[in-house]
Amino acid sequence: EDSMMIGGLNFFFRPVRYPTLGISWDITEQVTVGLSLREAFTFNLDIGVRFRGDIASTHGGESQPVAEDVSLDLSSLSHNLFSPRQATFGLAWDLAELSLTMDVSWLGWSEYRPPTPAITLEAELGDSGLALPAPPEATPVSFQDIIVPRAGAEFALWNEPTSSLLARLGYFYEPTPMPEQTGATNYIDSDKHGWSLGLGW
């Protein structure tokens, strides 16, 4: 944990740690299966403001007191940079001139929390007659867990003892975890189709 002091502001930086595990098993000389697990993580941004003092209004160069011995405590907590919990199962089939791979991933997007900050506010404004509006409440979202399939192929166009020329093709489909936006939120996303082409020497 690192801290930094700038003027009257104090910053704390805490690292985010999460485990990632993987295992592979050669069933035969041609067939390999694998499993990987990655824990979810999120970056929490916690901002606190504390004020003690007097409030005055200035008109024409003259200062008029508005409230004395004012106290204000504000806390804002938001969740950013979210990555869902993931589990992936994969299969590889290696032939003489052709290699085929595929995997299926589960992503736990149902644990997603909106980035809108949750604000708590406490204030003592004395007999000034001032009032602060209630902080807005974050609109809940209902993201869904998704399944992402991927497939790839590698073919030897030219194969010699000292070098090879390999052609590669890949594809994945990732559905959006977002529900239909019919309320106050406007999260933008869509289903994704990904293609890749490559050559290896």
Side-chain angles (χ1 to χ4, degrees):
E1 177 180 311
D2 296 325
S3 65
M4 179 186 302
M5 188 72 179
I6 302 178
L9 303 178
N10 196 6
F11 297 88
F12 293 92
F13 301 92
R14 297 179 174 88
V16 176
R17 300 180 179 90
Y18 58 94
T20 300
L21 306 173
I23 187 173
S24 65
W25 177 33
D26 295 329
I27 298 178
T28 67
E29 292 184 358
Q30 291 80 30
V31 179
T32 302
V33 296
L35 177 67
S36 67
L37 302 172
R38 190 176 80 175
E39 185 55 74
F41 74 89
T42 185
F43 177 77
N44 296 321
L45 183 60
D46 191 355
I47 300 176
V49 176
R50 178 179 175 137
F51 173 79
R52 300 290 185 271
D54 301 330
I55 299 177
S57 175
T58 302
H59 296 283
E62 296 184 1
S63 179
Q64 298 291 331
V66 175
E68 297 180 350
D69 298 327
V70 171
S71 66
L72 175 67
D73 294 283
L74 181 144
S75 176
S76 172
L77 176 63
S78 58
H79 311 282
N80 303 279
L81 198 63
F82 175 79
S83 180
R85 181 179 291 111
Q86 301 180 33
T88 301
F89 174 78
L91 173 67
W93 187 24
D94 190 10
L95 301 175
E97 302 293 334
L98 177 66
S99 296
L100 300 175
T101 60
M102 65 170 297
D103 65 49
V104 178
S105 297
W106 167 84
L107 284 78
W109 277 104
S110 59
E111 297 179 2
Y112 176 78
R113 289 180 289 180
T116 307
I119 298 175
T120 57
L121 179 63
E122 296 181 0
E124 292 290 340
L125 302 178
D127 56 356
S128 64
L130 300 176
L132 296 176
E137 295 185 1
T139 302
V141 295
S142 300
F143 279 29
Q144 304 167 354
D145 296 345
I146 61 173
I147 300 294
V148 180
R150 299 179 180 88
E154 182 181 79
F155 180 72
L157 299 175
W158 172 57
N159 200 358
E160 294 292 337
T162 57
S163 62
S164 301
L165 183 62
L166 305 174
R168 300 183 178 114
L169 171 66
Y171 170 77
F172 75 87
Y173 169 68
E174 182 176 343
T176 177
M178 295 183 184
E180 184 179 358
Q181 298 294 287
T182 59
T185 60
N186 188 25
Y187 295 99
I188 300 174
D189 192 31
S190 65
D191 297 340
K192 306 172 188 66
H193 298 269
W195 292 91
S196 61
L197 292 171
L199 286 175
W201 178 60

